[in-house]
Amino acid sequence: MKRIVILISGRGSNMEAIVQRCAAEGWPARVVAVIANKPDAKGLQFAAAQGIATAVVDHRAHGVRADFDAALAACIDGFAPDLVVLAGFMRILGEPFVQRYAGRLMNIHPSLLPAFPGLHTHRSAIDAGCKLAGATVHFVTTQLDHGPIVMQSVVPVKPDDDDAALSARVLATEHVIYPLSVRWFVEDKLSIDEGGRVRHRDGASQLLIG
């Protein structure tokens, strides 16, 4: 039974999707903790209501990133996770932290990486005239919003889209591809080839067209 720890900063809708799918589909895993960097993160209430352990490591209590990263790692390690999942966790993590969880640290980013890393991805896609947008699940590396891609979703960018409309369309696909990617990990369905590309051992599609 694999152990999953999820990190959030706010509502944690992707966290909710993962928790719900894990229970409904009977994964060989369980979410053992949800940790936030903000005491008022709303997702903590949802997790507690599901009987999941919660914790807060407030980044504002630490003067430098390295101290916050160390405190966060100590909290995470207390739950002995097989996988650490970033679900709307809005802090940049330092190289020692990322290396500590190499190969078992997963993130979702609301763009078709490597396009539009960082913030304001939906506005960037609209301003660039993109006809397609989407989301990317990837393993975290020391390069921000990069790393081996597990799965992507694609949605159309409509002529009258604003940030909110495109964000909502992409988020709906995130709630599908992130739980599925986590399930593949806990079921040992993923491998990374010599070129750094993630493959599904049974050849399942790693693309969702929304």
Side-chain angles (χ1 to χ4, degrees):
M1 185 70 73
K2 297 287 177 63
R3 298 168 62 86
I4 303 167
V5 168
I6 303 178
L7 308 186
I8 64 170
S9 291
R11 181 166 64 96
S13 66
N14 273 308
M15 175 271 294
E16 292 185 15
I18 290 167
V19 168
Q20 291 168 345
R21 293 276 290 278
C22 181
E25 297 174 359
W27 300 356
R30 65 188 182 97
V31 178
V32 295
V34 172
I35 302 172
N37 67 303
K38 296 181 178 180
D40 59 350
K42 293 183 179 180
L44 294 171
Q45 299 174 12
F46 171 85
Q50 311 307 308
I52 299 170
T54 62
V56 175
V57 181
D58 193 336
H59 66 277
R60 294 168 295 187
H62 302 277
V64 297
R65 180 192 299 172
D67 291 345
F68 169 70
D69 285 0
L72 180 61
C75 183
I76 292 170
D77 289 350
F79 296 101
D82 298 286
L83 177 66
V84 179
V85 175
L86 308 181
F89 187 70
M90 302 303 291
R91 301 300 299 175
I92 295 175
L93 298 165
E95 183 174 341
F97 182 97
V98 171
Q99 291 179 339
R100 184 188 193 100
Y101 301 103
R104 56 192 182 107
L105 182 61
M106 194 175 282
N107 182 48
I108 191 164
H109 183 74
S111 79
L112 293 172
L113 292 177
F116 309 126
L119 301 176
H120 311 301
T121 57
H122 305 300
R123 171 48 47 190
S124 296
I126 293 169
D127 288 348
C130 293
K131 309 311 176 190
L132 296 172
T136 303
V137 179
H138 65 100
F139 286 107
V140 177
T141 64
T142 55
Q143 187 176 0
L144 179 65
D145 293 331
H146 283 74
I149 292 171
V150 178
M151 191 172 189
Q152 291 183 307
S153 61
V154 175
V155 302
V157 180
K158 299 181 180 180
D160 59 348
D161 268 341
D162 58 14
D163 295 17
L166 182 56
S167 174
R169 196 176 309 118
V170 171
L171 185 61
T173 69
E174 292 180 32
H175 294 164
V176 177
I177 67 171
Y178 210 4
L180 182 55
S181 296
V182 173
R183 179 174 182 172
W184 286 346
F185 180 93
V186 301
E187 292 181 340
D188 295 320
K189 295 292 187 181
L190 300 177
S191 64
I192 301 179
D193 67 19
E194 293 181 357
R197 291 165 296 192
V198 181
R199 306 293 192 188
H200 189 282
R201 297 186 191 278
D202 297 333
S205 174
Q206 293 169 251
L207 175 67
L208 172 70
I209 299 177

